[in-house]
Amino acid sequence: MASNSYSEVPKWERKTRLCLCIFGLFLSFYALHVEISRERDPEYRAMCDLGDSVSCSKVFTSRWGRGFGLVQFFFAKDSVLNQPNSLLGIIFYTLQLALGQSVSSRAAFLLVLASWVSMAGSLYLAGVLAFILGDFCVVCVSTYVVNFLLLFTNLKRRTGLEAVKKKTG
C-alpha cells in the first residue's frame, strides 16, 4: 500500500486502540507500583488485594511475576533480563500505540504478531493464576481482556487494510 493515510483506518479503531493502550499502560504501571511497594514493605496492602485468594500483590511478587517465571531458568534471578511482567506490558502497550500510528501492512503485521504473542503470554499466565497460584488477580485478568481486545482490533485493521489493498491494486 503506497498510501500511509491515517484516514484509511476507521475512527472507532483509532479510539479503541488509544483507550485500550492507555488502560493497559495504567494497569501495567499500577502492577509495577504494587510490586515495588511490596518489595520495599512486605506489609504493603494494595487496593487490588481483596482477600487471601484475591490478591494481586501475591501474584506480582511470585516467581511468575518476573519473566513469566521462565527467565530465571536461563539467567540469574537478579539478571537484567528477568524483568517484571508489568514492565513487559509497558513496552507492549507503548509498541501498540507507536505501531498503531502507521497504516502500513508491515505495521499491521507486527501489531497482529505482537498481539498473538501477548495472548500466548496471557493464556499461560491465566493458567498459572488459576491452577498453580489458585488466586484471582483483578489487574491480571483485566490485562488479559485488554490484550484480547487489542488482538481483535489488530486483526480488524489487518483485514481492513488487505481489503483496501485489493480494491486499489
Side-chain angles (χ1 to χ4, degrees):
M1 178 182 300
S3 173
N4 206 18
S5 169
Y6 207 64
S7 64
E8 294 173 6
V9 177
K11 201 173 195 173
W12 73 265
E13 192 259 335
R14 289 179 284 185
K15 289 180 179 180
T16 300
R17 175 180 313 287
L18 181 63
C19 290
L20 289 172
C21 289
I22 288 172
F23 189 50
L25 283 166
F26 169 78
L27 292 168
S28 297
F29 276 110
Y30 179 71
L32 186 61
H33 163 75
V34 169
E35 183 175 344
I36 291 168
S37 298
R38 186 72 179 258
E39 284 175 0
R40 288 183 183 155
D41 177 11
E43 299 299 315
Y44 173 79
R45 185 160 170 86
M47 289 187 303
C48 53
D49 289 343
L50 305 175
D52 287 339
S53 60
V54 182
S55 171
C56 64
S57 61
K58 186 167 74 173
V59 174
F60 300 151
T61 57
S62 74
R63 79 175 179 102
W64 290 277
R66 287 182 163 265
F68 291 84
L70 301 172
V71 173
Q72 67 184 1
F73 293 123
F74 305 101
F75 301 98
K77 189 177 179 181
D78 60 349
S79 167
V80 70
L81 298 174
N82 195 23
Q83 293 298 316
N85 296 343
S86 54
L87 187 59
L88 300 175
I90 291 166
I91 293 167
F92 170 72
Y93 297 119
T94 302
L95 179 70
Q96 289 285 312
L97 277 173
L99 282 173
Q101 300 306 304
S102 172
V103 292
S104 72
S105 45
R106 179 175 287 169
F109 171 77
L110 291 172
L111 285 166
V112 170
L113 179 65
S115 282
W116 278 117
V117 170
S118 79
M119 282 308 303
S122 294
L123 290 171
Y124 167 74
L125 290 173
V128 167
L129 192 63
F131 301 114
I132 296 174
L133 295 174
D135 200 286
F136 183 82
C137 170
V138 176
V139 174
C140 303
V141 172
S142 297
T143 60
Y144 307 155
V145 171
V146 169
N147 292 347
F148 174 77
L149 293 172
L150 272 171
L151 173 63
F152 176 79
T153 302
N154 290 330
L155 288 171
K156 293 295 274 182
R157 174 182 279 204
R158 182 128 193 250
T159 56
L161 289 176
E162 287 171 358
V164 168
K165 190 175 184 178
K166 284 180 184 175
K167 283 182 187 177
T168 61

